[in-house]
Amino acid sequence: MYNSGDGRLVGVPFADAYVDSAFDKADFGLRAAPRVGSYAGFVFASLSSDVESLEDHLGGVRRYLDLLIDSSPDRQLNVVDKGSLKYMVPANWKIQAENVLDGYHGPYTHETALKMDAESWNIPDGYVASFPHGHGAVNLILPETVELPDAEKFRALAQMPGGSDERGGALNISGLRGMSDQIKREYFVALVESHGPERAAEVLGAAGMTIYVFPNLYIQPLNQHYRVFRPIAADQTEAEIVAYRLCGASEAWEQTMLMKVNGWATALGFGQPEDVEVFASIQEALQARSVEWLDFSRGLHRERLVDGAVTASFDDETCMRGLHEEWLRLMSKEVV
Ligand SMILES: [Fe+2]
């Protein structure tokens, strides 16, 4: 048993068997991580002291973490204190990481689930952004028109990407599927009042985003939760799902989001069980000796460098290439 505060070993079963032994609990405490830092409320640790600062490591993906925090009217996320959901994925951890960076599979693997979540379903538009150090973001722009209660008040919001007040005050909002218009209006009002119309518009323009922080953190604001992946073996990964609340959002918003998490990311949901089924199939297929290389070339021809990030269409494999390049860079380093 370890002290949860400092990691000291404070107890072992049947300790009296160590009388006159060299065994000393002080020698068997948990090893302290030499580098620990936090950003946007997430705590990151490195078991190597030979790493750059957390801010440098995160680099361009910080902009997306800032948008995540600002999606809360009070600029704070609170973890839902009902515990987390853990499950084992019978596949290598990189398959889970590739999956969260992939917009290509969504309309096909999750066609049924997505149709249940909206009256009409369209193939999404959007983009991927791959950052140095393997991080990535996917922003799905899902067309959805919302009638505004006060067109004048939201005129500035209509300038957001995808929005247009030429449609009589209607606003095109990405990613807030499955929400009633009333719940959305309350959320928009809270955001505008808290952050001002310009920042609120930026936040809403990114409402269809998901964020991946290399190697093992994934955040999905569309269904308010984050996941941490833990490699257990070459073909086994533990995934932990934690739901969060947006402080300052209405209770109706939070209840709807909890329903969305349950409907997507749990064993009784539709989204993640479909993905895990595919992960197992991919892991099995990777045992084939007849195919030596996997093809990750999708969208290579249309990549662009924008503000230090490599971007391409939402369905391109740009972020997967970034993930594997970073993994190869780290695994090729000399071990000291
Ligand atoms: Fe998926």
Side-chain angles (χ1 to χ4, degrees):
M1 180 189 298
Y2 299 98
N3 180 294
S4 61
D6 58 20
R8 280 179 300 117
L9 180 64
V10 294
V12 294
F14 307 118
D16 56 355
Y18 291 105
V19 173
D20 295 332
S21 157
F23 175 80
D24 185 345
K25 289 200 293 289
D27 296 333
F28 290 92
L30 296 177
R31 182 181 163 197
R35 298 290 294 274
V36 178
S38 70
Y39 193 88
F42 292 95
V43 177
F44 298 87
S46 170
L47 293 177
S48 169
S49 57
D50 183 25
V51 292
E52 60 198 326
S53 72
L54 177 61
E55 295 233 330
D56 287 345
H57 172 70
L58 293 174
V61 83
R62 284 181 297 165
R63 178 168 164 250
Y64 285 82
L65 293 171
D66 294 342
L67 283 165
L68 172 72
I69 294 300
D70 283 359
S71 67
S72 153
D74 292 348
R75 290 196 164 94
Q76 183 174 327
L77 313 184
N78 274 359
V79 166
V80 173
D81 59 0
K82 302 297 182 194
S84 60
L85 173 70
K86 287 184 182 176
Y87 56 86
M88 295 299 294
V89 178
N92 186 270
W93 69 272
K94 293 190 290 302
I95 295 173
Q96 168 88 81
E98 287 171 7
N99 167 258
V100 301
L101 294 167
D102 175 46
Y104 186 35
H105 78 284
Y108 312 105
T109 305
H110 304 307
E111 183 181 10
T112 304
L114 293 170
K115 277 182 174 167
M116 287 176 61
D117 201 24
E119 288 178 8
S120 63
W121 166 246
N122 299 304
I123 300 294
D125 197 355
Y127 62 87
V128 290
S130 175
F131 303 97
H133 301 299
H135 315 307
V138 182
N139 195 4
L140 300 176
I141 312 297
L142 303 173
E144 185 177 4
T145 301
V146 179
E147 292 300 321
L148 297 174
D150 180 346
E152 195 58 39
K153 184 172 181 179
F154 287 89
R155 189 162 296 281
L157 265 181
Q159 305 307 315
M160 61 176 273
S164 167
D165 61 2
E166 291 171 4
R167 300 176 194 174
L171 185 64
N172 215 359
I173 298 300
S174 333
L176 301 178
R177 309 171 74 83
M179 288 282 187
S180 74
D181 286 359
Q182 175 65 24
I183 295 174
K184 275 184 263 199
R185 284 190 198 101
E186 290 171 3
Y187 176 63
F188 302 158
V189 169
L191 272 189
V192 173
E193 287 180 348
S194 173
H195 304 342
E198 283 186 16
R199 185 58 175 167
E202 287 176 3
V203 169
L204 291 172
M209 71 176 178
T210 63
I211 307 167
Y212 169 68
V213 180
F214 182 93
N216 65 340
L217 173 64
Y218 169 62
I219 307 157
Q220 188 181 82
L222 282 165
N223 303 294
Q224 274 172 218
H225 72 281
Y226 66 85
R227 302 178 204 168
V228 177
F229 319 139
R230 295 191 181 90
I232 305 298
D235 59 357
Q236 274 208 321
T237 303
E238 179 193 85
E240 181 172 10
I241 290 185
V242 183
Y244 63 81
R245 290 173 176 270
L246 298 183
C247 297
S250 68
E251 189 57 29
W253 172 281
E254 294 305 324
Q255 289 304 319
T256 307
M257 271 297 180
L258 281 174
M259 293 282 288
K260 282 163 67 72
V261 177
N262 283 327
W264 188 264
T266 67
L268 292 175
F270 285 85
Q272 191 65 3
E274 291 169 333
D275 284 321
V276 172
E277 176 85 20
V278 176
F279 299 163
S281 299
I282 294 171
Q283 184 68 40
E284 186 178 352
L286 286 173
Q287 308 311 308
R289 300 280 173 97
S290 56
V291 180
E292 192 174 357
W293 291 94
L294 299 179
D295 188 321
F296 280 102
S297 66
R298 185 175 173 81
L300 197 55
H301 66 287
R302 53 188 171 192
E303 289 185 341
R304 292 187 304 135
L305 193 62
V306 180
D307 294 335
V310 183
T311 69
S313 174
F314 80 98
D315 54 331
D316 288 338
E317 291 169 338
T318 302
C319 287
M320 295 179 208
R321 290 189 280 275
L323 154 70
H324 285 287
E325 280 167 11
E326 178 65 3
W327 179 84
L328 183 63
R329 184 184 75 81
L330 292 171
M331 297 303 285
S332 304
K333 284 174 86 172
E334 204 169 312
V335 177
V336 287

